[in-house]
């Protein structure tokens, strides 16, 4: 091999790329990080995130009386993932191995490693997606959603500091505004990258940046790590790959990630001999709302709901079990697409919105992001959290009303005719069930069950009440759309994060991490994810790549 410019090239400055780069640096390797965006975008989607991590049998869980185990976590994972591609193609072969390895990591090594990095966890463990409580149901049977104190920026910070220290000592180079368009190969080995130097751009993080080309570049290395993310920002690509199991692709989706998250790295790796698998598996949310203060086009925010809101389809029909707020994302998405719903509705009260609405993302949670205890304590005071109130005041998807007629009129103004009598009947059905302690209505049962857990009772569930109880008004309706987010398939990798070719052998010199690798193995989640495993998958796959690249 000819002389190289650096030991390791990492393409992409998101969390998995940062972890891979820092781990390689800790081994004494020299690293060049190549990123098409500017330095303001370092940290990628992790910076925008709520900072939720899936851990198993943690001290935080035990302090709250949560009984968890590695065996229970694996049972939940297997039921949720639904791995079924173990035949001749073997698309799930490495995914299963990665799932086993990740669960062990989340059980034993993740929390001690985070503490070594100075990362701390919020003491209340959440239940971001509860799943169906049926045999073989999807979801976490116990709360496992651990929020980083500092959210996404707090998780990213130790790695950016390590990288910048390495820049100062000469062991790392940061090549921002360099867009890779080709992986260089010699025979079957990947030996470097080539691409375009883009004009400097001072846009803020997440805004579309200039694609003006100022020149070309090429770099050679012993190892190249693809950390370029998925396709969530490229709506047409999402629609093209939309799985038949989820019905027809939505026409009115909002973006949960910036437009530059377009999956370009997948094509580069495929052209260099890597095998791409499970491209039809993806994870999108049904609780998306238009950001009233957008950063990128069609910028959507996800509501992390508690269990009490009434969920209706576009015509006003109550969604069937287990499609309740915060339960089974893909089941709900499949149902809505099967009935032709481009949007759906939450109907709730001011009391519910104050206690149960959390908006996903670091910028929507300034108290946790800023590690501010005084601001955090304000969550228990009357009134909606300030970011939620801003959406109530300015969001185009919100209807706030002081009578049932006003609510129904507002819903129709936003989205056209609804079955007004059906909406009223659904509210009354839900209210009668919630008011009856002996009711077997599945949603009422789940509301009661949620409040048995101390963490939910303290910060995530409102005291049960009728939506038509005027003491809890105003009434609120929220129009929800599909929010694009994660690619679950990608570059197939072994447990060293080495990219595998069509014959199942490693492509020499090529590694893949994070979402580009399906968070490990080309699809560690199978068809569905347990909440908190996206950031965890970035950490895990980046760590394994950095130890070998």
């Amino acid at each position: 091999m000819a002389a190289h410019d650096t030991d390791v090239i990492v393409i992409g400055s998101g969390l998995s790329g940062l972890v891979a780069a820092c781990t390689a640096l800790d081994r004494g390797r020299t690293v060049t990080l190549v990123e098409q965006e500017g330095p303001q975008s370092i940290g990628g989607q992790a910076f925008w995130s709520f900072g939720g991590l899936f851990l198993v049998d943690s001290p935080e869980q035990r302090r709250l009386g949560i009984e968890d185990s590695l065996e229970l976590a694996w049972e939940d994972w297997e039921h949720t993932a639904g791995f079924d591609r173990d035949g001749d193609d073997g698309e799930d072969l490495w995914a299963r191995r990665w799932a086993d390895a990740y669960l062990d990591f989340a059980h034993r090594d993740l929390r001690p490693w985070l503490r070594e990095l100075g990362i701390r966890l919020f003491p209340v463990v959440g239940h971001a997606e509860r799943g169906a409580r049926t045999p073989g149901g999807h979801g976490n049977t116990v709360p496992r959603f651990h929020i980083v104190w500092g959210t996404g920026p707090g998780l990213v910070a130790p790695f950016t500091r390590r990288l910048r220290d390495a820049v100062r000592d000469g062991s790392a180079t940061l090549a921002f505004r360099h867009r890779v368009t080709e992986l260089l190969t010699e025979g079957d080995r990947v030996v470097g990258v080539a691409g375009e130097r883009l004009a400097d751009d001072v846009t803020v993080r997440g805004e579309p940046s200039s694609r003006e080309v100022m020149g070309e570049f090429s770099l050679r290395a012993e190892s190249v790590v693809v950390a370029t993310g998925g396709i969530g920002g490229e709506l047409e690509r999402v629609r093209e790959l939309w799985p038949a199991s989820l019905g027809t692709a939505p026409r009115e989706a909002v973006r949960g990630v910036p437009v530059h998250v377009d999956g370009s790295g997948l094509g580069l790796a495929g052209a260099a001999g890597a095998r791409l698998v499970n491209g039809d598996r993806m994870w999108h949310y049904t609780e998306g709302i238009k950001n009233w203060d957008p950063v990128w086009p069609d910028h959507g925010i996800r509501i992390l709901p508690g269990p009490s809101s009434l969920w209706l389809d576009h015509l006003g029909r109550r969604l069937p079990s287990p499609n309740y707020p915060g339960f089974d994302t893909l089941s709900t998405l499949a149902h809505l697409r099967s009935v032709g719903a481009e949007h759906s509705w939450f109907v709730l009260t001011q009391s519910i919105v104050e206690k149960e609405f959390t908006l996903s993302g670091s910028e929507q949670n300034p108290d946790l992001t800023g590690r501010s205890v005084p601001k955090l304590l304000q969550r228990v005071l009357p009134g909606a959290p300030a970011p939620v109130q801003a959406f109530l005041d300015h969001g185009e998807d919100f209807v706030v009303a002081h009578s049932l007629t006003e609510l129904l009129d507002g819903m129709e103004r936003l989205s056209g005719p609804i079955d007004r009598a059906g909406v009223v009947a659904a509210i009354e059905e839900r209210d009668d069930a919630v008011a009856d302690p002996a009711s077997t209505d599945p949603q009422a049962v789940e509301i009661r069950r949620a409040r048995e857990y101390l963490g939910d009772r303290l910060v995530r569930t409102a005291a049960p009440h009728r939506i038509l109880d005027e003491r809890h008004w105003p009434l609120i309706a929220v129009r929800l759309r599909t929010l694009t987010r994660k690619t679950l398939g990608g570059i197939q990798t072994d447990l060293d994060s080495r990219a595998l070719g069509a014959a199942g052998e490693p492509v020499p010199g090529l590694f893949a991490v994070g979402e580009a690798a399906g968070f490990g193995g080309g699809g560690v989640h199978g068809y569905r994810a347990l909440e908190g495993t996206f950031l965890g998958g970035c950490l895990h796959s980046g760590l394994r790549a950095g130890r070998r690249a």
Side-chain angles (χ1 to χ4, degrees), residues 265-290:
L266 300 175
L268 298 177
R275 185 185 186 209
L276 307 182
V277 296
N278 299 315
D280 62 332
R281 293 178 179 172
M282 52 186 71
W283 185 262
H284 307 302
Y285 292 106
T286 45
E287 311 99 329
I289 52 176
K290 270 283 190 75

Side-chain angles (χ1 to χ4, degrees), residues 192-204:
V193 301
E196 301 165 335
R197 290 188 295 105
L198 303 178
D200 290 340
D201 194 303
V202 294
T203 54
V204 301

Side-chain angles (χ1 to χ4, degrees), residues 17 85 90 98 123 138 216 236 271 314 374 381 388 407 446 496-497:
R85 295 176 177 173
W98 271 90
H138 314 140
E216 298 179 342
E236 288 308 313
H314 59 308
L381 299 177
V388 174
L407 184 83
E446 292 297 347
D496 289 321
S497 288

Side-chain angles (χ1 to χ4, degrees), residues 1-11 31-35 173-186 190-197 216-224 509:
M1 179 177 172
H4 53 268
D5 301 294
T6 186
D7 293 332
V8 181
I9 294 170
V10 177
I11 312 171
V31 174
T32 297
L33 189 147
V34 182
E35 167 62 60
T173 301
L174 304 181
F176 292 108
R177 302 297 290 161
H178 284 59
R179 181 172 60 185
V180 175
T181 59
E182 180 186 4
L183 300 184
L184 301 177
T185 59
E186 291 180 356
V190 173
V191 297
V193 301
E196 301 165 335
R197 290 188 295 105
E216 298 179 342
F217 76 96
S218 65
L219 294 166
R220 296 177 65 90
E222 290 183 6
S223 301
V224 175

Side-chain angles (χ1 to χ4, degrees), residues 142-434:
V142 298
R144 297 191 178 102
F145 194 71
H146 298 67
I147 300 168
V148 170
W149 185 233
T151 68
L155 182 60
V156 167
F159 303 106
T160 57
R161 286 196 298 267
R162 173 69 180 94
L163 198 58
R164 285 168 178 150
D165 288 344
V167 170
R168 283 192 289 270
D169 69 28
S171 57
T173 301
L174 304 181
F176 292 108
R177 302 297 290 161
H178 284 59
R179 181 172 60 185
V180 175
T181 59
E182 180 186 4
L183 300 184
L184 301 177
T185 59
E186 291 180 356
D188 63 351
R189 184 178 187 86
V190 173
V191 297
V193 301
E196 301 165 335
R197 290 188 295 105
L198 303 178
D200 290 340
D201 194 303
V202 294
T203 54
V204 301
R205 177 189 292 271
E207 284 186 347
S209 60
S210 166
R211 289 296 179 260
E212 181 185 358
V213 177
M214 305 300 291
E216 298 179 342
F217 76 96
S218 65
L219 294 166
R220 296 177 65 90
E222 290 183 6
S223 301
V224 175
V225 181
V226 177
T228 50
I231 64 172
E234 182 51 73
L235 296 184
E236 288 308 313
R237 184 66 171 155
V238 169
R239 294 185 181 107
E240 177 186 340
L241 294 175
W242 192 266
S245 61
L246 294 180
T248 58
R251 299 187 306 273
E252 299 180 8
V254 291
R255 287 185 175 92
V257 295
V259 293
H260 66 255
V261 183
D262 59 5
S264 59
L266 300 175
L268 298 177
R275 185 185 186 209
L276 307 182
V277 296
N278 299 315
D280 62 332
R281 293 178 179 172
M282 52 186 71
W283 185 262
H284 307 302
Y285 292 106
T286 45
E287 311 99 329
I289 52 176
K290 270 283 190 75
N291 193 344
W292 69 271
D293 186 20
V295 178
W296 54 81
D298 297 314
H299 185 176
I301 297 292
R302 185 201 174 195
I303 296 170
L304 292 171
S308 301
S309 298
L310 175 65
W311 205 338
L312 307 173
D313 70 13
H314 59 308
L315 298 177
R317 297 170 296 200
R318 190 179 185 189
L319 270 56
S321 177
N323 304 321
Y324 299 126
F327 275 74
D328 192 328
T329 291
L330 288 199
S331 171
T332 307
L333 181 56
H335 173 76
L336 291 172
R337 299 309 306 146
S338 72
V339 299
E342 289 293 323
H343 66 272
S344 60
W345 293 98
F346 279 165
V347 174
L348 60 152
T349 65
Q350 180 72 21
S351 294
I352 294 173
V353 84
E354 289 180 6
K355 194 70 177 284
E356 297 196 6
F357 266 35
T358 297
L359 300 175
S360 182
S362 55
E363 81 280 17
Q364 302 296 334
N365 294 276
D367 49 357
L368 291 165
T369 301
R371 302 184 179 95
S372 172
V373 173
K375 287 183 178 179
L376 185 66
L377 292 175
Q378 292 177 11
R379 293 199 181 213
V380 302
L381 299 177
V388 174
Q389 187 62 50
F391 274 88
L392 289 168
D393 294 339
H394 307 295
E396 67 178 67
D397 296 309
F398 286 73
V399 177
V400 180
H402 295 275
S403 73
L404 187 53
T405 298
E406 184 184 356
L407 184 83
L408 297 172
D409 289 346
M411 293 169 69
E412 291 195 319
R413 273 197 308 274
L414 278 186
S415 297
I418 56 174
D419 179 357
R420 295 170 71 101
V423 172
V424 175
I427 294 173
E428 291 175 343
E429 178 186 60
R430 179 259 182 217
D431 280 3
D432 289 346
V434 168

